[in-house]
Amino acid sequence: MSPEKVNHLPESDTKLTLGLPGAGGECHRTKAGTKRGFLETVDLNLMSSSNDNKHCEENDAMASSKTPATKAQVVGWPPVRAYRKSAMKGSCKFVKVAVDGAPYLRKVDLEIYHSYQELLSALEDMFSFLTIRNHVNERKIIDNVNGVEYVPTYEDKDGDWMLVGDVPWKMFVESCKRVRLMKSSEAIGLAPRTPAKNSSKS
Amino acid sequence: MRQDLTVQQMSEDDDRSPPLDLRCGAAPSINRARNCSGEAVSGSGSSTSSSIPASVPVTVTEYQSQYPDQVLEIVLENVLQFLTSRRDRNAASLVCKSWWRAEALTRSELFIGNCYAVSPDRARGRFRRVRSVVLKGKPRFADFNLMPPDWGAHFGPWVCVLANAYPWLEKVYLKRMSITDDDLALLAESFSGFKELTLVCCEGFGTCGLAFIASKCRQLRVLDLIETEVTDDEVDWISLFPEGETCLESLIFDCVDCAINFEALEKLVARSPFLRKLRLNRHVSIRQLYRLMVRAPQLTHLGTGKYGPSEVAQRQGDTEPDYIAAFAACKSLVCLSGFREITPDYLSAIYPVCANLTSLNFSYATITADQLKPVICNCHKLQIFWVGVPCVIDYQCFEEIWVLKLILAVIMQALDSICDEGLQAVAATCKELRELRVFPMNAQEDVEGPVSEVGLQAISEGCRKLQSILYFCQRMTNAAVIAMSSNCLELEVFRLCIMGRHRPDHATGEPMDEGFGAIVRNCRKLTRLAVSGLLTDRAFGYIGKYGKLIRTLSVAFAGDSDMGLKYVLEGCPKLQKLEIRDSPFGDAALRSGLHHYYNMRFLWMSSCRLTRQGCQEIAQAMPRLVVEVIRSDDEEETDNYVETLYMYRSLEGPRHDAPKFVTILR
């Protein structure tokens, strides 16, 4: 199996690092909705879907140095329990996620996601009664059953409640202490950060 | 005693009967045998996981006198009390009706290997005096996200019936079951003498449920939560244990990833003089560990929490506790685990106990071989060793940059040898080793792993008493596997996971057929096998030909054609659990197992070449088999192939709690 040719590698990708290559590249599940024969692939960086070739070529390593050359990743392979995988990660950033009206909390490790989209998809999986709808410039979270709209909010290091999505992803991971999906009707008064700080979404 | 039964009895450790041909639709013929008192009775099939079909009639000739029979039964009951193994009990229950009855009355431990094989009511109807229940639910591949959540295996229906039927119940062991807080509440309230709760790979409840157990089970001796998901309901369950001296002998909660009230835990340990096993979660710091160890030097099993100083900077003048002394004081310590987020400097604290250790679990500890060696070289009595090997950089992306590739290849070589070195140290010292598990620290496919055939070869030469091995690696050779097959003749469990799919022998380029062939040929005690790497049908031919004792077989990304699966189904008479994924086995292969499926606990096949039609045929041919086709989403599958087939024998027919994405074929 030969890797695809790499035409150009940015400097940062040739940096040698020992140890855990970081949380990226690990795709131990796709959403339950994908149908696949032998292989299931989600390329986390390119967000493209796979080919079904049994002997899949390795993807090229244009990925960031955080993700090693991602071969076609397959659900549940190698067969290591999720519990063990997360326990061995060492650092992790677990935050509680609460949904207004739901009787239970969930915890997520923010470090395994790379974008708001990934996080919201994961939340969609965890709270199966929710659906994420992507509109222009914003994402809505809707309860399937009764149509109630939720707004994702988080508590930051300073104890303030902010809207999720207003700061770059990494900044969010660093400052987030807990997440709350608040009913839209109650989410008045939560202002996005002022443009002076940072207004880019990721 | 030849019998035609609708369900062949077989429980987990039952190695009695060869497969029988079972004709569907035929009325079971009753075999008549005489028992001691001259009655004609029917032979009855029985096992804990499938009791007598209700339809089997029993004819009894008149009693000469009731009195002798009652005496006989009382004598029997008293004798049968001493039978503990369920295999023996199953055999005893087949002798005659009277023995069946007596056995049913005296069986105190109920083992149900598949919670859907028999209903709670049926179990309760047969066994009246049960004190201990073992229930297993989901198939093992569910652990690897191959099954959608909410598939089933609910404890709820069971706990309701158990609560009514066995108020004296003392022990519950659940594996891969879905449990709610309410279930735990009911359990806690219903059994006043409840003593032991063990939950392995379960989910569905939170610390709320634990609070019920802690507060209401006053006689609790064992609360063991192993690789179980527990949601954080922000309930301080530790402080809910009753005041005063407790009966606690074992408290294992390392998988409960919630902060706990340490003061309450310390007080609990202080008032638990019988505590022998304690496994903490990562929220307990090493300083806190020290305080606990000082209070419980009688511990035999200890799982540390976070094994290193916390981020809170130690104040100047604060002396470090004497960890070495704390460990040295635990003279009975034989099992150590934990070591999360480890600071390797602190490893030296465990040196005093190494000489007595029989079990050491470093699988969550990121340490190098050099840090491991001083520990291992003292562990002469070690029988069980679990270790995680750190992954290394992936250099495949540097294919084009040949200079870098060269440098990296040299480094890789060196690093490989370092980690194999760790295993070599084990091989040199741990002559009593019975069980070895080598996990990948970062479980990816393509990262070059630092253990290889060198480590395996070393272990095979040094640890001749090895009985069980689980070995993850990136690459392997037939030679090393063959070496293990001839050196480790006591092997009962051989699970080799070559993480790169379809990887051949990296020295010869050959498939791994000969290696696994040697294992099944030479290891005469082998009961459990997991294969990997590039494998042709020939490997399966070997398994079918030589694997006569194999009960559990795991196959992934292997085989060429239907013949592979045929060899196994036709050749392995003891096969009970077969799990296959991503292998090219189709309907014809499935048909070749018809003679055997009633002897098995389950068959799992995902991403193979089965069609719905093929599965349907099986369902029609075998009425006592539940044939589940599992989709990964709600839509109809457009592919011709079935995504997942999960089938199992059952006395109850299709279950009523199947979710939408499960179709049960008839």
Side-chain angles (χ1 to χ4, degrees), chain B residues 5-54:
Chain B
L5 302 166
T6 51
V7 180
Q8 174 64 22
Q9 65 275 14
M10 186 83 78
S11 66
E12 185 166 61
D13 292 317
D14 194 333
D15 63 0
R16 274 184 301 113
S17 345
L20 297 180
D21 278 328
L22 297 156
R23 310 276 176 256
C24 75
S29 70
I30 314 298
N31 191 27
R32 282 164 206 266
R34 304 248 147 222
N35 75 354
C36 331
S37 58
E39 296 174 358
V41 297
S42 70
S44 48
S46 63
S47 90
T48 49
S49 58
S50 55
S51 62
I52 298 184

Side-chain angles (χ1 to χ4, degrees), chain B residues 385-447:
Chain B
F385 183 54
W386 291 24
V387 67
V389 287
C391 73
V392 184
I393 47 174
D394 172 20
Y395 67 96
Q396 301 208 355
C397 54
F398 303 128
E399 278 292 321
E400 286 299 294
I401 306 176
W402 66 270
V403 162
L404 267 173
K405 186 183 168 192
L406 202 63
I407 295 172
L408 283 159
V410 170
I411 295 177
M412 288 303 306
Q413 196 79 319
L415 284 163
D416 254 13
S417 68
I418 282 175
C419 288
D420 278 331
E421 242 180 67
L423 290 178
Q424 283 164 333
V426 172
T429 315
C430 306
K431 298 302 177 187
E432 299 300 314
L433 202 70
R434 302 280 192 274
E435 177 181 317
L436 174 68
R437 296 198 190 189
V438 178
F439 294 98
M441 278 293 206
N442 190 351
Q444 290 190 36
E445 246 183 278
D446 277 319
V447 182

Side-chain angles (χ1 to χ4, degrees), chain A residues 21 26 29 33 41 63 66 80 88 93 98 125 128 131 137 145-146 150-151 159 171-172 180 189-190 194 196-198:
Chain A
E26 173 77 44
R29 64 168 285 159
T41 59
K66 244 190 151 206
V80 175
M88 296 202 292
K93 173 85 195 236
D125 287 343
S128 50
T131 311
N137 273 349
V145 174
N146 54 28
Y150 292 89
V151 165
M171 197 182 287
F172 164 72
R180 178 176 159 203
L190 280 181
T194 59
K197 277 194 176 178
N198 198 323

Side-chain angles (χ1 to χ4, degrees), chain A residues 4 24 55 84 99 102 122 161 169-170 176 187:
Chain A
E4 282 178 30
H55 297 285
R84 181 170 288 280
V99 176
W161 284 92
W169 171 255
K170 288 199 178 134
C176 173

Side-chain angles (χ1 to χ4, degrees), chain B residues 241-396:
Chain B
F241 280 93
E243 292 295 322
E245 206 174 83
T246 74
C247 311
L248 270 182
E249 295 172 15
S250 175
L251 181 61
I252 295 180
F253 65 94
D254 54 294
C255 60
V256 181
D257 198 15
C258 321
I260 50 147
N261 177 342
F262 179 73
E263 279 66 40
L265 178 63
E266 193 176 9
K267 288 194 197 128
L268 178 65
V269 168
R271 65 180 193 278
S272 302
F274 305 106
L275 193 67
R276 293 286 178 276
K277 301 186 187 182
L278 180 64
R279 293 204 182 130
L280 309 164
N281 69 17
R282 64 181 183 89
H283 296 267
V284 178
S285 72
I286 196 172
R287 276 179 182 260
Q288 291 171 332
L289 171 70
Y290 174 83
R291 282 160 65 176
L292 295 176
M293 288 178 74
V294 157
R295 294 201 179 276
Q298 77 279 10
L299 287 177
T300 57
H301 293 58
L302 175 65
T304 74
K306 184 176 163 200
Y307 201 72
S310 66
E311 282 111 36
V312 175
Q314 282 143 18
R315 291 186 299 273
Q316 288 225 325
D318 235 15
T319 47
E320 285 259 64
D322 190 350
Y323 296 116
I324 295 186
F327 275 98
C330 294
K331 306 226 180 283
S332 314
L333 209 54
V334 293
C335 174
L336 263 186
S337 60
F339 302 104
R340 320 257 173 157
E341 295 166 61
I342 187 173
T343 302
D345 297 337
Y346 288 80
L347 258 185
S348 53
I350 73 171
Y351 290 168
V353 296
C354 288
N356 284 330
L357 282 183
T358 55
S359 171
L360 180 57
N361 182 349
F362 268 152
S363 64
Y364 298 109
T366 45
I367 51 172
T368 65
D370 279 338
Q371 289 156 348
L372 177 64
K373 284 199 280 189
V375 172
I376 275 293
C377 72
N378 291 316
C379 297
H380 296 99
K381 291 193 189 163
L382 205 61
Q383 295 185 16
I384 299 174
F385 183 54
W386 291 24
V387 67
V389 287
C391 73
V392 184
I393 47 174
D394 172 20
Y395 67 96
Q396 301 208 355

